[in-house]
Structures are given as structure tokens and as C-alpha cells.
Amino acid sequence: MVSFFIMYTSHKDTLNFFSKLSLRRAKNILLVYFSYQLTRLLRKQIIWSLPFAVEIEPTTSCNLRCPECPSGLRKFSRPTGMLEERNFEKFINQIYKDISYLTFYFQGEPYLNPKFLDMVKYANEKKIYTTTSTNAHYLKPENAKKTIEAGLDRILISIDGVTQDTYQKYRIGGKLEKVWEGLQNLSQAKKEVKSATPHIIVQMIVNNYNEHQIDEMQELATSYGADEVRFKSMQIYDYKDGSEFIPENEKYARYHKKGDQYKINNSFPDECWRLWHSSVITWDGKVIPCCFDKDADHQFGELKDNSFKEIWKSKPYRDFRDQILSDRQQIEICKNCSEGTKIWEN
């Protein structure tokens, strides 16, 4: 059970998560888990509770130009903008008694939203476990200190190479020196105030340009103050004809060559844990199924019109889950999904 929401993290981070659990939240987690397992067994949709994890998008803006990211490519078909603090607070007030895990990230760079850390603080005051993902270009000493003061529980810092040349192959427009400084600033600020949080995770997306640097990344990131180092396979949008980013070592790749084209390493089972335990909210309040719906093509409702609970149990949401259970492979956003893939992750 722990791995579903803690995601293989450290002992201290796990204890921190459980310290924020109320009986009601713990009950909600169990209801999510057993309703999903019963759904798999009976092949009939059962929803007994709200999700225990939610992703909310602080902004779609980003300072980088990563070639496999809609934010970086500036190719959204949906509106771009910033999450407003008052709308965030209204949403949190609806769900905080049941939600255990809140991710401040979907697309974009969270620190570009000037109210980001104020929203983290508000969620922390509600005793919700909070996490975010950043490219670390804005973690100057002042922001590092404010991050700790806001009560952020976990932060994932993306570093896709140990040299500027390797790093900028994917993180176009990024400065690796700034990233290392940001990581060091946050680590130093934690030491100064003797804070155990945020738990700092450095993540490298493994690609053809950096796969030879895995061991070096592990050592270097730890020396700069990371609590944990992870290596993740890379998602590629147009993978069928291959890509310069697909690693040579298939151990690190989501895709394998079959004949003249590449295929994703996924058997596409007609089930999806994400549709039971989590949900995604865009910056402008649209409720969508998961982080693979970058353009919010599957909108189940808007928070300005309905409560989250009403949307979670609405017909559009239920119809989507039923489609997952009957023929997931026909849903476009599922065709490049890592849920069910047989890949190495660390």
C-alpha cells in the first residue's frame, strides 16, 4: 500500500507522510484501494470515495524549451495562464479532509507563479502532504528559505546531465550551473534551520545523450545535497519512427524497435490505477483524468460550475473509466502512457 502514494521514498519521508494522515484520510485511502481491486475483479466500475491524491497546475508558463514538453514547445491547444490563489483556496477547502497527497505540478515551472509558495503554505496548514517538480532555476537563497518556511514536504529537481553540453540537449535554454546552485541553496537552507523538509529528489530523465552519466549523476547529486536520486525513462511523443533521445540501452527505454517502427513497452491492460486514486486540475479549474492529458482533451467538468465531488462522480468521468475498463488502447492519451509499461525505473 505504501508504494502507491509514497513512491519508494525514504524512511523519514514516509514517516512525514503518515504524520499528516487523519483517520478520515486513512479510511479514504483504503476505500480507494479496495474499490479499485473490486473493480478489477468484477470488471464493473466501483467508486466508494474521493481520490487520495490530486495534481494541481500552478502555471503553464516555463523558462525552458524542452522539445518533448508542450510548455517548452509553446504548443498547447488549451489556454495558458496562472492559478489564482483565491481559486486554489476554494478548491482546497472542498477536499482537504479527504485528500492526503497534493502535487503542485502538471505543466510549466511552478516557481513562475508569484503565489506558488503561499498556496503551498495554505495546503500545509491543512496538513496535506505537498510536493512539486522544478527545473531549479529560481531556487536562489531567498526562495530556498521561503520554500522551507512554506512547509513543502518534497521537491523533485530535474537534472538531465552532469555537464552543460549533455544537460542542454533536452533542457534547452537551461543553465546547469544555476541548477546545481539551486540544489545547494535548498540543501544549505535546510541545514541552517535544521529542517528535514523538503525531501530533495534529483531526477534524471535517461536519454541517449546522458545514459553514460548515471553513476556520475548519483554521486554528484548526492554531494550537492540531494536526499535521493532517481532515474526515469523518457516519454517521446512521435516515437514510431525513432528519436535521437531513445537510449541505446533498452533497459532505460520505454520503446523498442519492432520491424521498421518503434513500439511502446506496454501490454495496455484494460485498467488504470490512476483513474481511482488521483485526479488533475488545470490552472483554470478544469478537471481531467491524468498527467498524460497535456492539452486537457478529456474535461469532466469545471470547478467554477460544480464541486469536485460532483465532477468526480459525474457521468463524463464514469463513462471515461468504463472506456478504460473495456478498451483502454483506443483512448489516444493512453497510447503513450507508462501505466502498465514494463520498464526499468529507479
Side-chain angles (χ1 to χ4, degrees):
M1 279 290 292
V2 173
S3 64
F4 289 145
F5 46 90
I6 295 300
M7 296 180 67
Y8 323 110
T9 193
S10 74
H11 177 66
K12 287 184 179 179
D13 196 27
T14 301
L15 289 177
N16 180 34
F17 174 84
F18 279 110
S19 72
K20 297 190 172 189
L21 272 186
S22 64
L23 287 175
R24 177 166 172 169
R25 288 174 180 168
K27 178 183 177 182
N28 189 54
I29 290 171
L30 290 173
L31 287 173
V32 170
Y33 176 74
F34 286 113
S35 63
Y36 176 67
Q37 295 303 328
L38 198 55
T39 293
R40 294 178 67 200
L41 179 65
L42 301 178
R43 308 309 302 171
K44 179 181 178 181
Q45 181 180 162
I46 297 170
I47 300 293
W48 284 339
S49 60
L50 292 178
F52 60 73
V54 169
E55 288 182 41
I56 193 161
E57 182 177 57
T59 181
T60 48
S61 300
C62 189
N63 53 308
L64 302 185
R65 299 291 188 274
C66 304
E68 293 291 334
C69 174
S71 291
L73 293 170
R74 307 316 193 249
K75 285 189 175 180
F76 282 118
S77 62
R78 62 185 173 96
T80 59
M82 300 273 182
L83 173 64
E84 292 185 13
E85 186 177 11
R86 60 186 177 88
N87 290 336
F88 170 76
E89 291 180 0
K90 286 180 181 178
F91 170 60
I92 290 301
N93 289 341
Q94 290 182 31
I95 65 167
Y96 77 91
K97 292 181 180 179
D98 296 292
I99 299 299
S100 307
Y101 194 105
L102 180 61
T103 300
F104 283 95
Y105 180 73
F106 174 31
Q107 298 296 295
E109 168 52 49
Y111 280 89
L112 287 174
N113 188 320
K115 293 294 184 179
F116 166 56
L117 292 176
D118 292 326
M119 291 185 280
V120 171
K121 183 178 181 181
Y122 190 81
N124 181 55
E125 289 171 350
K126 300 291 187 183
K127 297 188 181 300
I128 304 172
Y129 183 96
T130 55
T131 181
T132 195
S133 178
T134 178
N135 59 49
H137 282 68
Y138 300 97
L139 282 175
K140 294 181 179 180
E142 182 182 3
N143 257 355
K145 182 181 178 182
K146 287 181 178 178
T147 298
I148 294 168
E149 292 172 344
L152 186 70
D153 293 294
R154 180 194 290 186
I155 187 168
L156 190 152
I157 295 177
S158 297
I159 312 180
D160 300 329
V162 300
T163 63
Q164 177 63 28
D165 181 60
T166 303
Y167 173 78
Q168 69 185 4
K169 292 293 185 183
Y170 184 68
R171 301 288 169 179
I172 296 173
K175 301 294 182 184
L176 183 58
E177 183 180 2
K178 281 189 176 182
V179 182
W180 290 128
E181 287 177 0
L183 170 57
Q184 201 165 34
N185 289 338
L186 189 58
S187 177
Q188 183 60 35
K190 284 176 62 178
K191 291 177 182 177
E192 288 175 0
V193 298
K194 297 180 180 179
S195 175
T197 57
H199 181 75
I200 303 172
I201 300 172
V202 163
Q203 177 176 277
M204 184 171 87
I205 297 177
V206 180
N207 60 54
N208 184 49
Y209 296 105
N210 65 21
E211 60 183 312
H212 64 288
Q213 297 179 336
I214 286 177
D215 291 339
E216 193 175 355
M217 174 60 76
Q218 179 76 53
E219 184 177 343
L220 196 57
T222 302
S223 72
Y224 272 96
D227 297 307
E228 189 178 340
V229 184
R230 292 183 181 175
F231 302 96
K232 183 181 180 182
S233 65
M234 186 171 183
Q235 179 185 350
I236 296 167
Y237 282 96
D238 297 320
Y239 61 83
K240 292 183 179 179
D241 294 323
S243 166
E244 61 179 300
F245 292 109
I246 296 178
E248 289 186 12
N249 191 331
E250 291 187 359
K251 174 182 178 181
Y252 309 132
R254 290 190 191 183
Y255 314 96
H256 67 279
K257 196 167 186 179
K258 189 173 182 179
D260 295 331
Q261 289 193 322
Y262 281 82
K263 306 286 185 182
I264 189 169
N265 300 325
N266 199 327
S267 58
F268 293 104
D270 290 330
E271 56 190 52
C272 184
W273 169 235
R274 295 172 191 259
L275 269 293
W276 268 254
H277 87 271
S278 65
S279 188
V280 176
I281 316 298
T282 64
W283 70 270
D284 52 351
K286 295 178 175 66
V287 180
I288 62 175
C290 70
C291 61
F292 283 89
D293 192 5
K294 313 292 187 188
D295 280 310
D297 292 323
H298 301 276
Q299 297 177 20
F300 304 130
E302 296 191 40
L303 292 174
K304 67 178 182 179
D305 301 321
N306 301 99
S307 70
F308 179 78
K309 185 175 182 179
E310 289 170 335
I311 296 171
W312 178 250
K313 296 188 175 183
S314 67
K315 187 177 187 303
Y317 224 140
R318 295 187 67 86
D319 287 347
F320 188 84
R321 292 192 198 96
D322 282 339
Q323 190 175 359
I324 289 283
L325 293 171
S326 62
D327 196 359
R328 174 181 165 219
Q329 195 168 356
Q330 297 306 311
I331 302 173
E332 191 62 34
I333 64 170
C334 296
K335 292 180 179 179
N336 202 1
C337 177
S338 60
E339 185 81 11
T341 52
K342 296 178 179 179
I343 52 175
W344 167 89
E345 298 281 13
N346 178 22

